[in-house]
């Protein structure tokens, strides 16, 4: 069984004309859970189920939790998602709509996660949002699909939170014989834990996340994302929150698909810094998605209203 969908791959006329080169889009926003997370989470949930797990536990109120809730329902396994009080009503509603039990606990994600960890029993599987080889294996399938389309990119643009997406994309590149295709690893300023780690040559922990791109808000990247810099060409790129939000609005007009700033960050490289792409004739962007985004939220952020 495969819980994720094969997503469209399209050459974007709008972005290609803007950037003066061919820009291909892998439309992960169209996964039924709203983001690419379903690839890795679906694969992890299926595997843990086959190993006997009778319940899935997550501490994500965002796209990872939604993917867990979706996968659990599809597999007929109960899911418990522990989220902090800061999780929006909309995110909680989306989780409950998938049939997950939602427990609201604590003021911060750290507290919610501690509660989730305390709940884990012998028959439960905890589904990590980014640090699990099973997730990376699932994410890698998006590159297999691009290869099947016959589009060999000269560079790939991915957003980076904890680094699971990037690790999976690089696995996919390497297993398709594209180990020499460089990756632009995009973060928003205020959530740039990969850039900080690469600059320090040490897996540093950011003191705080100050970006509105909450899906990129891992204070520390996973060890594999850090170590991979020796085995693949990875260039960290930073954009501002404003650039990420503006890119979401432009992408909505260009492709009629609403994504969150975590995804807008990658698009902003094409919209705002096409000079970063000067060496590449064919660029692939992972349009990673974002399920909790609304038109009203985008409008509010465009007007500078804090979330
Ligand atoms: C989770 C997520 C990311 C970041 O993925 P990591 O594996 O944490 O690096 C980027 N964009 C969206 C929409 C996400 O949900």
């Amino acid at each position: 069984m495969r819980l994720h969908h094969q997503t469209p791959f399209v050459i974007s006329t709008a972005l290609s004309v803007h950037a003066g080169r061919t820009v291909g889009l892998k439309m992960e926003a169209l996964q039924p859970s709203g983001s690419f997370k379903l690839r890795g989470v679906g694969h992890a949930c299926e595997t843990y189920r086959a190993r006997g797990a009778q319940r899935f536990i997550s501490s994500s109120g965002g796209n990872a939790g939604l993917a867990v809730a979706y996968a659990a329902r599809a597999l007929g396994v109960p899911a418990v998602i522990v989220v902090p009080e800061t999780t929006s009503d909309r995110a909680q509603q989306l989780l409950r709509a998938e049939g997950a039990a939602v427990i609201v606990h604590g003021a911060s994600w750290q507290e919610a996660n501690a509660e989730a960890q305390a709940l884990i029993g012998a028959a439960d599987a905890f589904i990590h949002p980014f640090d699990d080889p099973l997730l990376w294996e699932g994410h890698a399938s998006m590159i297999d699909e691009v290869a099947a389309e016959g589009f060999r990119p000269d560079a790939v643009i991915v957003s980076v939170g904890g680094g699971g997406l990037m690790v999976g994309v690089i696995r996919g590149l390497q297993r398709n014989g594209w180990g020499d295709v460089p990756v632009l690893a995009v973060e928003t300023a205020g959530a740039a834990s990969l850039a900080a780690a690469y600059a320090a040559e040490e897996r540093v922990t950011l003191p705080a996340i100050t970006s509105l791109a909450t899906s990129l808000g891992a204070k520390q990247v996973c060890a594999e994302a850090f170590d991979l810099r020796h085995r693949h060409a990875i260039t960290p790129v930073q954009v501002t929150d404003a650039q990420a939000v503006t890119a979401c609005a432009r992408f909505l007009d260009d492709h009629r698909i609403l994504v969150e700033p975590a995804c807008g960050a990658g698009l902003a490289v094409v919209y705002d810094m096409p000079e970063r792409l000067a060496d590449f004739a064919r660029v692939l962007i992972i349009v990673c998605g974002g399920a909790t985004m609304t038109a009203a939220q985008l409008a509010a952020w465009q007007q500078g209203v804090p979330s």
Side-chain angles (χ1 to χ4, degrees):
M1 191 155 95
R2 194 192 64 186
L3 297 176
H4 67 262
H5 284 218
Q6 181 169 341
T7 54
F9 168 78
V10 295
I11 303 289
S12 168
T13 302
L15 275 79
S16 298
V17 168
H18 177 80
R21 59 208 67 248
T22 302
V23 178
L25 309 173
K26 188 58 174 157
M27 289 290 200
E28 291 302 297
L30 300 181
Q31 292 291 351
S33 73
S35 82
F36 76 94
K37 289 269 185 354
L38 185 56
R39 288 186 188 265
V41 165
H43 181 62
C45 286
E46 269 188 81
T47 306
Y48 291 126
R49 175 64 173 158
R51 292 178 189 167
Q54 282 166 30
R55 190 171 69 153
F56 300 138
I57 297 183
S58 163
S59 54
S60 158
N63 297 313
L66 275 163
V68 172
Y70 177 92
R73 187 172 54 73
L75 292 167
V77 173
V80 178
I81 319 288
V82 188
V83 298
E85 286 146 14
T86 49
T87 305
S88 69
D89 287 346
R90 175 172 165 80
Q92 293 183 37
Q93 276 163 17
L94 290 171
L95 289 166
R96 292 197 175 97
E98 293 290 0
V102 179
I103 298 175
V104 181
H105 182 94
S108 72
W109 175 80
Q110 278 74 13
E111 288 163 61
N113 187 50
E115 175 71 6
Q117 300 296 327
L119 287 177
I120 300 172
D124 294 327
F126 178 76
I127 312 296
H128 197 279
F130 55 82
D131 194 6
D132 182 337
L134 291 171
L135 293 175
W136 310 333
E137 173 64 24
H139 296 339
S141 63
M142 72 181 75
I143 301 299
D144 299 336
E145 291 173 17
V146 175
E149 299 273 349
F151 182 86
R152 188 197 191 282
D154 299 319
V156 182
I157 298 177
V158 293
S159 304
V160 174
L165 171 60
M166 183 186 83
V167 172
V169 163
I170 290 175
R171 288 201 169 191
L173 291 172
Q174 294 187 343
R175 77 184 181 198
N176 281 285
W178 294 347
D180 60 339
V181 176
V183 165
L184 302 186
V186 189
E187 300 170 291
T188 46
S193 45
L194 186 83
Y198 283 13
E201 281 287 315
E202 188 187 340
R203 200 154 60 97
V204 294
T205 302
L206 298 180
I209 299 297
T210 56
S211 168
L212 54 72
T214 48
S215 295
L216 304 185
K219 289 182 185 171
Q220 187 187 50
V221 293
C222 63
E224 181 67 7
F226 180 65
D227 296 342
L228 255 183
R229 73 197 188 288
H230 296 309
R231 306 197 302 276
H232 203 93
I234 301 169
T235 305
V237 179
Q238 280 183 58
V239 304
T240 65
D241 277 357
Q243 286 174 318
V245 167
T246 301
C248 293
R250 292 182 72 168
F251 192 69
L252 180 58
D253 287 346
D254 284 340
H255 283 278
R256 296 137 337 259
I257 289 176
L258 180 63
V259 298
E260 65 177 52
C263 178
L267 297 165
V269 175
V270 178
Y271 283 124
D272 273 2
M273 12 180 123
E275 72 280 357
R276 298 291 303 244
L277 308 174
D279 293 342
F280 315 119
R282 290 146 71 88
V283 176
L284 172 65
I285 309 183
I286 307 304
V287 182
C288 41
T292 60
M293 191 66 178
T294 63
Q297 178 69 82
L298 177 59
W301 275 334
Q302 280 185 284
Q303 280 151 39
V305 179
S307 54

